[in-house]
Each structure stands twice: as C-alpha cells, then as structure tokens.
C-alpha cells in the first residue's frame, strides 16, 4: 500500500479532482499540485467561481440548458430562429453544436435517451415538453440531433411518431463518412449509412 505523501486536505483535493471526467489519479495529482503552486493566480479565483456557480446555476425551464438565468441565454437570444428546435440528449451536446456554429436555432435537452434495459422510459425524459413546444405555430422544424447509438435511434423514432400531429418537419443529422475520414478505417454501419444518405454532387 503506497504511503501518504501529503496531508488529508491535499489528498481530499486530489480525490475530488479524480472524479472529474478525463482525470485519473495521476492527472488529478498533477492538477492539484499545479493549483497549489499557483494558489494566488488559480486557486482563489477558481474557488470564487465555483461558489458563484453553485449559488446561481439553474436549469432553463424552456429548453433544459444549464445557465445562470432562466430562461437561458440561448432561449432569450432574439437573433435565433424560433421556427427550428434542435433536440439533443444532453447539455454537452448543445454546447458542442454551439462550438461548431452549425445552427442558429433554439434547443431542447431531453436529459438522456430511452433505455428500457436501464429503466429509462419516456416519463424520465423531457419528451412531453418537447411535444408541447413543437405544437407552437411558430415552430416549423424539429431537428433530432441524437447520438447514432441504438438508444439514440430508438428515441428518435419514438419522438418522430409523437410529432406527427404537430405538423412540423422532423429531420435528423446525417450519418456517414466524417470529414477527413478514410473508408478503410470506418465501420460497416457508418459506411452503410453513408451510402443510404448519399447526395448529388
């Protein structure tokens, strides 16, 4: 059993950092050491920022995004197209689409996907709220930006069936060859999807 090389306060900091995604025990130790070395420049401002976030963070009552205001910054942005709703599984997916700058629409965060094996049903997701939003006369399209997993596709089909009565166009992200991808390295499912969804040149 390895010996402790620091006091319990530092060990606790390392253990908490190790819980963050992408940080294992070694990375957590390096991060903790860096924070300690740069106490004035990093630790103080980080502690203050965490306290502010803990106090002010909220979930948007409209779309499910995480922000410091409700409705969130995205929902209150008057420059966004109110006729399009992009449906995502998680806030991380919303942020990824925003980083890409691919769409200037409103969002709806489901909070996961349908997964009967894990006990996740429609009542556990924000699907009813999506259906209500889709019935707004201003909405003309719902883009299902769900992951290309079995659960993601099952959820997409379920939502598509529910939105038939809303009179909106229901579309989904294209699946296929990624930019810079080489065919020899792609799996059969990706290649099949790329062939089925081929477009004219």
């Amino acid at each position: 059993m390895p010996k402790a090389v620091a006091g319990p306060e530092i060990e606790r900091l390392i253990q908490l950092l190790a819980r963050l995604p992408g940080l294992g025990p070694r990375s957590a130790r390096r991060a903790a050491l860096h924070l300690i070395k740069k106490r004035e420049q990093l630790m103080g401002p980080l502690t203050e920022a965490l306290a502010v976030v803990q106090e002010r963070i909220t979930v948007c009552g409209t779309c499910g995004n995480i922000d410091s205001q409700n409705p969130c910054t995205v929902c209150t942005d008057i420059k966004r197209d109110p006729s399009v709703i992009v449906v995502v599984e998680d806030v991380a997916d919303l942020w990824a689409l925003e980083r890409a700058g691919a769409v200037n629409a409103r969002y709806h965060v489901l909070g996961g996907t349908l997964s009967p094996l894990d006990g996740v049903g429609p009542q556990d997701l924000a699907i009813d709220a999506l259906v209500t939003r889709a019935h707004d006369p201003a909405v003309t399209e719902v883009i299902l930006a769900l992951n290309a997993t079995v659960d993601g596709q099952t959820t997409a089909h379920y939502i598509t069936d529910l939105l038939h009565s809303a009179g909106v166009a229901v579309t989904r992200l294209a699946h296929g060859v990624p930019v810079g991808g080489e065919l020899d390295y792609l799996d059969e499912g990706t290649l099949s999807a790329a062939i089925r969804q081929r477009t004219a040149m």
Side-chain angles (χ1 to χ4, degrees):
M1 186 171 177
K3 295 179 181 178
V5 295
E9 299 85 0
I10 296 174
E11 287 298 327
R12 176 162 165 72
L13 174 62
I14 293 168
Q15 290 169 7
L16 289 171
L17 289 172
R19 294 182 187 176
L20 295 173
L23 285 184
R26 286 184 182 178
S27 299
R29 286 189 180 282
R30 283 196 297 272
L33 189 57
H34 186 72
L35 285 170
I36 292 166
K37 285 181 178 178
K38 305 282 187 179
R39 286 193 293 280
E40 289 77 18
Q41 299 98 323
L42 287 176
M43 196 173 283
L46 179 61
T47 302
E48 184 181 327
L50 287 171
V52 170
V53 166
Q54 183 179 14
E55 179 185 328
R56 297 186 186 171
I57 203 72
T58 185
V59 176
C60 178
T62 303
C63 74
N65 187 20
I66 295 173
D67 204 340
S68 57
Q69 65 182 45
N70 184 17
C72 72
T73 305
V74 174
C75 287
T76 56
D77 184 355
I78 59 172
K79 295 179 181 177
R80 290 182 180 271
D81 184 356
S83 68
V84 179
I85 297 175
V86 181
V87 181
V88 294
E89 293 178 23
D90 191 66
V91 174
D93 300 325
L94 186 159
W95 290 359
L97 287 170
E98 283 298 290
R99 281 195 311 273
V103 65
N104 187 38
R106 304 288 169 88
Y107 289 91
H108 189 87
V109 180
L110 292 177
T113 54
L114 296 172
S115 180
L117 292 176
D118 297 321
V120 180
Q123 70 282 354
D124 301 309
L125 306 175
I127 293 176
D128 289 342
L130 170 63
V131 173
T132 300
R133 290 182 70 192
H135 277 83
D136 184 329
V139 177
T140 59
E141 182 182 7
V142 173
I143 302 173
L144 300 177
L146 304 178
N147 292 324
T149 60
V150 173
D151 290 342
Q153 296 310 300
T154 300
T155 306
H157 289 301
Y158 180 81
I159 291 172
T160 301
D161 290 341
L162 290 179
L163 294 181
H164 274 308
S165 63
V168 296
V170 181
T171 58
R172 68 174 188 173
L173 297 182
H175 301 295
V177 180
V179 175
E182 296 182 28
L183 297 185
D184 189 38
Y185 292 100
L186 300 177
D187 62 276
E188 292 80 5
T190 299
L191 286 172
S192 297
I195 291 294
R196 286 196 307 271
Q197 298 176 41
R198 62 191 183 276
T199 57
M201 292 293 287

